[in-house]
Amino acid sequence: MLKTHTRRLVYVPHLHRESAPACLPQVVQFLSVGLTDRPVAGELLPDGLPYTPAEARACLRDLLEYGLSVGREGDLYALTAAADDSQAVAARRAESRALARFADTGESEAASSAGEALPGERLRNAQKTLLLASYLEERARELDALQARFADGRKGLAQVIGVDDGDDDIDLPALDAFTPDLPGSGMDVLRPSWRVVLDNMACFLPEDAALFTCDHVMLAALGDAGVVFEPVSVETLRRFEGLDAALAPKLLQACVPLWQALGLSGPQAERPWLDREALFIGCAACQTGA
């Protein structure tokens, strides 16, 4: 049953409105990772963040500085396994194991050992993960903008020399410099798994929050996990100001425990926050990747 006091919509898996589709309703908020004292418009600053804004900025800076020393940008997530300074020696011993785990599975050591961690440590690890996810999301947008500039430059150069840039039979080495060698968009390359983001967001989600997504990869994965979506109800539309009737044909909803949404086999005794039943609202057009 959907809780009657559900009033706020929080987007997942992105943490910045600029990363989401432009058609996203303004009523949808984005979870603040705690870098500022007050959330900007459209952000939800949750209660219970363990770091002050100054501490969060310092923490992110330290994580990035260390990440640059260990190599790949993707390795940064493994730093969420690091403990406080007082446990630095033990943390260093765990870092290599955490790096390999995240590279192989997309899961941080912290997430897998949450049952052994104190609640405060779990919250610190969760905020660290979200800080890094937010940082990489911003870098992904910058990378996408750079790719767009390369594409425009290539198109302009092709017009100047009087050829069709789409002609595969023409070999133009001069255009190679305008072809970024990337396996996909910036989001494809840098964005963390939506499961990593949602798992750590769950520690800070207000009780009255529902989740909204336009991410077709996430929606498809939820379907694979057995989540059954139905057309959004009139009751749901009334519950959230800004979700007017004109949006109804595009929206789907489902109400499931977070552990099921994450694809887990059942409740996790060491992670009781995943037992909460959450309302998910998704865009039917986005579900097909349209």
PDB file of all heavy atoms in Angstrom, residues 14 33 41 44 46 69 71 122 147 152 155 171 177 208 220 237 289:
ATOM      1  N   HIS A  14      20.139  10.091 -11.448  1.00  0.00           N
ATOM      2  CA  HIS A  14      20.946  11.306 -11.549  1.00  0.00           C
ATOM      3  C   HIS A  14      20.823  12.149 -10.283  1.00  0.00           C
ATOM      4  O   HIS A  14      19.817  12.099  -9.570  1.00  0.00           O
ATOM      5  CB  HIS A  14      20.506  12.156 -12.750  1.00  0.00           C
ATOM      6  CG  HIS A  14      20.705  11.470 -14.067  1.00  0.00           C
ATOM      7  ND1 HIS A  14      21.871  10.842 -14.402  1.00  0.00           N
ATOM      8  CD2 HIS A  14      19.879  11.322 -15.130  1.00  0.00           C
ATOM      9  CE1 HIS A  14      21.762  10.330 -15.623  1.00  0.00           C
ATOM     10  NE2 HIS A  14      20.563  10.604 -16.074  1.00  0.00           N
ATOM     11  N   VAL A  33      23.915  16.177  -2.202  1.00  0.00           N
ATOM     12  CA  VAL A  33      24.944  15.343  -1.565  1.00  0.00           C
ATOM     13  C   VAL A  33      25.634  16.072  -0.423  1.00  0.00           C
ATOM     14  O   VAL A  33      26.560  15.547   0.186  1.00  0.00           O
ATOM     15  CB  VAL A  33      25.975  14.852  -2.601  1.00  0.00           C
ATOM     16  CG1 VAL A  33      25.298  13.984  -3.642  1.00  0.00           C
ATOM     17  CG2 VAL A  33      26.711  16.021  -3.251  1.00  0.00           C
ATOM     18  N   ALA A  41      17.555  25.626  -5.821  1.00  0.00           N
ATOM     19  CA  ALA A  41      16.186  25.337  -6.248  1.00  0.00           C
ATOM     20  C   ALA A  41      16.122  23.966  -6.920  1.00  0.00           C
ATOM     21  O   ALA A  41      16.956  23.643  -7.770  1.00  0.00           O
ATOM     22  CB  ALA A  41      15.705  26.420  -7.207  1.00  0.00           C
ATOM     23  N   LEU A  44      16.791  18.594  -2.830  1.00  0.00           N
ATOM     24  CA  LEU A  44      16.293  18.187  -1.522  1.00  0.00           C
ATOM     25  C   LEU A  44      17.493  17.886  -0.635  1.00  0.00           C
ATOM     26  O   LEU A  44      18.272  16.972  -0.919  1.00  0.00           O
ATOM     27  CB  LEU A  44      15.416  16.939  -1.657  1.00  0.00           C
ATOM     28  CG  LEU A  44      14.964  16.293  -0.340  1.00  0.00           C
ATOM     29  CD1 LEU A  44      14.074  17.247   0.453  1.00  0.00           C
ATOM     30  CD2 LEU A  44      14.250  14.975  -0.608  1.00  0.00           C
ATOM     31  N   PRO A  46      18.719  16.296   2.482  1.00  0.00           N
ATOM     32  CA  PRO A  46      18.168  15.344   3.451  1.00  0.00           C
ATOM     33  C   PRO A  46      18.718  15.553   4.852  1.00  0.00           C
ATOM     34  O   PRO A  46      19.809  16.114   5.038  1.00  0.00           O
ATOM     35  CB  PRO A  46      18.615  13.994   2.887  1.00  0.00           C
ATOM     36  CG  PRO A  46      19.906  14.294   2.194  1.00  0.00           C
ATOM     37  CD  PRO A  46      19.742  15.679   1.616  1.00  0.00           C
ATOM     38  N   SER A  69      46.166   9.373  -7.606  1.00  0.00           N
ATOM     39  CA  SER A  69      47.419   8.668  -7.347  1.00  0.00           C
ATOM     40  C   SER A  69      47.305   7.165  -7.574  1.00  0.00           C
ATOM     41  O   SER A  69      48.316   6.483  -7.698  1.00  0.00           O
ATOM     42  CB  SER A  69      47.882   8.931  -5.910  1.00  0.00           C
ATOM     43  OG  SER A  69      47.066   8.229  -4.986  1.00  0.00           O
ATOM     44  N   GLY A  71      45.335   5.766 -10.097  1.00  0.00           N
ATOM     45  CA  GLY A  71      45.183   5.406 -11.506  1.00  0.00           C
ATOM     46  C   GLY A  71      43.831   5.743 -12.064  1.00  0.00           C
ATOM     47  O   GLY A  71      43.453   6.903 -12.158  1.00  0.00           O
ATOM     48  N   ARG A 122      28.479   3.561   8.127  1.00  0.00           N
ATOM     49  CA  ARG A 122      27.691   3.283   6.925  1.00  0.00           C
ATOM     50  C   ARG A 122      27.211   4.586   6.294  1.00  0.00           C
ATOM     51  O   ARG A 122      27.269   4.758   5.078  1.00  0.00           O
ATOM     52  CB  ARG A 122      26.499   2.388   7.286  1.00  0.00           C
ATOM     53  CG  ARG A 122      25.453   2.266   6.186  1.00  0.00           C
ATOM     54  CD  ARG A 122      26.014   1.677   4.900  1.00  0.00           C
ATOM     55  NE  ARG A 122      25.072   1.873   3.793  1.00  0.00           N
ATOM     56  CZ  ARG A 122      25.290   1.499   2.536  1.00  0.00           C
ATOM     57  NH1 ARG A 122      26.410   0.904   2.216  1.00  0.00           N
ATOM     58  NH2 ARG A 122      24.394   1.723   1.599  1.00  0.00           N
ATOM     59  N   GLN A 147      32.260  16.299 -26.675  1.00  0.00           N
ATOM     60  CA  GLN A 147      31.970  15.475 -27.853  1.00  0.00           C
ATOM     61  C   GLN A 147      31.098  16.225 -28.850  1.00  0.00           C
ATOM     62  O   GLN A 147      31.290  16.111 -30.065  1.00  0.00           O
ATOM     63  CB  GLN A 147      31.279  14.181 -27.420  1.00  0.00           C
ATOM     64  CG  GLN A 147      32.182  13.193 -26.724  1.00  0.00           C
ATOM     65  CD  GLN A 147      31.558  11.809 -26.677  1.00  0.00           C
ATOM     66  OE1 GLN A 147      31.603  11.071 -27.650  1.00  0.00           O
ATOM     67  NE2 GLN A 147      30.982  11.461 -25.544  1.00  0.00           N
ATOM     68  N   ASP A 152      30.459  19.130 -34.036  1.00  0.00           N
ATOM     69  CA  ASP A 152      30.192  20.365 -34.783  1.00  0.00           C
ATOM     70  C   ASP A 152      31.418  20.777 -35.594  1.00  0.00           C
ATOM     71  O   ASP A 152      31.301  21.226 -36.742  1.00  0.00           O
ATOM     72  CB  ASP A 152      29.795  21.488 -33.818  1.00  0.00           C
ATOM     73  CG  ASP A 152      28.429  21.271 -33.207  1.00  0.00           C
ATOM     74  OD1 ASP A 152      27.655  20.462 -33.747  1.00  0.00           O
ATOM     75  OD2 ASP A 152      28.137  21.911 -32.175  1.00  0.00           O
ATOM     76  N   LYS A 155      31.746  18.506 -38.617  1.00  0.00           N
ATOM     77  CA  LYS A 155      30.738  18.837 -39.629  1.00  0.00           C
ATOM     78  C   LYS A 155      31.112  20.115 -40.367  1.00  0.00           C
ATOM     79  O   LYS A 155      31.002  20.206 -41.593  1.00  0.00           O
ATOM     80  CB  LYS A 155      29.376  18.990 -38.960  1.00  0.00           C
ATOM     81  CG  LYS A 155      28.246  19.298 -39.927  1.00  0.00           C
ATOM     82  CD  LYS A 155      26.915  19.384 -39.184  1.00  0.00           C
ATOM     83  CE  LYS A 155      25.773  19.708 -40.135  1.00  0.00           C
ATOM     84  NZ  LYS A 155      24.468  19.799 -39.414  1.00  0.00           N
ATOM     85  N   ASP A 171      38.116   8.720 -47.269  1.00  0.00           N
ATOM     86  CA  ASP A 171      39.083   8.693 -46.178  1.00  0.00           C
ATOM     87  C   ASP A 171      39.630  10.101 -45.972  1.00  0.00           C
ATOM     88  O   ASP A 171      40.299  10.643 -46.851  1.00  0.00           O
ATOM     89  CB  ASP A 171      40.223   7.724 -46.511  1.00  0.00           C
ATOM     90  CG  ASP A 171      41.204   7.584 -45.355  1.00  0.00           C
ATOM     91  OD1 ASP A 171      40.816   7.926 -44.231  1.00  0.00           O
ATOM     92  OD2 ASP A 171      42.347   7.142 -45.584  1.00  0.00           O
ATOM     93  N   ALA A 177      41.028  14.216 -36.150  1.00  0.00           N
ATOM     94  CA  ALA A 177      41.210  14.987 -34.916  1.00  0.00           C
ATOM     95  C   ALA A 177      39.884  15.445 -34.326  1.00  0.00           C
ATOM     96  O   ALA A 177      39.813  15.828 -33.169  1.00  0.00           O
ATOM     97  CB  ALA A 177      42.099  16.200 -35.176  1.00  0.00           C
ATOM     98  N   ASP A 208       8.667  10.460   3.404  1.00  0.00           N
ATOM     99  CA  ASP A 208       7.558  10.865   2.537  1.00  0.00           C
ATOM    100  C   ASP A 208       7.978  10.986   1.076  1.00  0.00           C
ATOM    101  O   ASP A 208       7.266  11.568   0.266  1.00  0.00           O
ATOM    102  CB  ASP A 208       6.951  12.187   3.019  1.00  0.00           C
ATOM    103  CG  ASP A 208       7.930  13.354   2.878  1.00  0.00           C
ATOM    104  OD1 ASP A 208       9.135  13.106   2.646  1.00  0.00           O
ATOM    105  OD2 ASP A 208       7.487  14.513   2.994  1.00  0.00           O
ATOM    106  N   ALA A 220      14.107  -0.785 -17.408  1.00  0.00           N
ATOM    107  CA  ALA A 220      14.171  -2.140 -17.945  1.00  0.00           C
ATOM    108  C   ALA A 220      14.682  -3.125 -16.892  1.00  0.00           C
ATOM    109  O   ALA A 220      14.174  -4.246 -16.773  1.00  0.00           O
ATOM    110  CB  ALA A 220      15.070  -2.164 -19.180  1.00  0.00           C
ATOM    111  N   LEU A 237      -1.574  11.203  -9.028  1.00  0.00           N
ATOM    112  CA  LEU A 237      -1.501  12.524  -9.655  1.00  0.00           C
ATOM    113  C   LEU A 237      -1.941  13.613  -8.680  1.00  0.00           C
ATOM    114  O   LEU A 237      -1.355  14.702  -8.637  1.00  0.00           O
ATOM    115  CB  LEU A 237      -2.372  12.567 -10.912  1.00  0.00           C
ATOM    116  CG  LEU A 237      -1.892  11.742 -12.107  1.00  0.00           C
ATOM    117  CD1 LEU A 237      -2.928  11.767 -13.227  1.00  0.00           C
ATOM    118  CD2 LEU A 237      -0.555  12.261 -12.616  1.00  0.00           C
ATOM    119  N   GLY A 289      13.223   3.819 -24.319  1.00  0.00           N
ATOM    120  CA  GLY A 289      14.380   4.511 -24.837  1.00  0.00           C
ATOM    121  C   GLY A 289      14.028   5.554 -25.860  1.00  0.00           C
ATOM    122  O   GLY A 289      14.890   6.096 -26.557  1.00  0.00           O
TER     123      GLY A 289
END
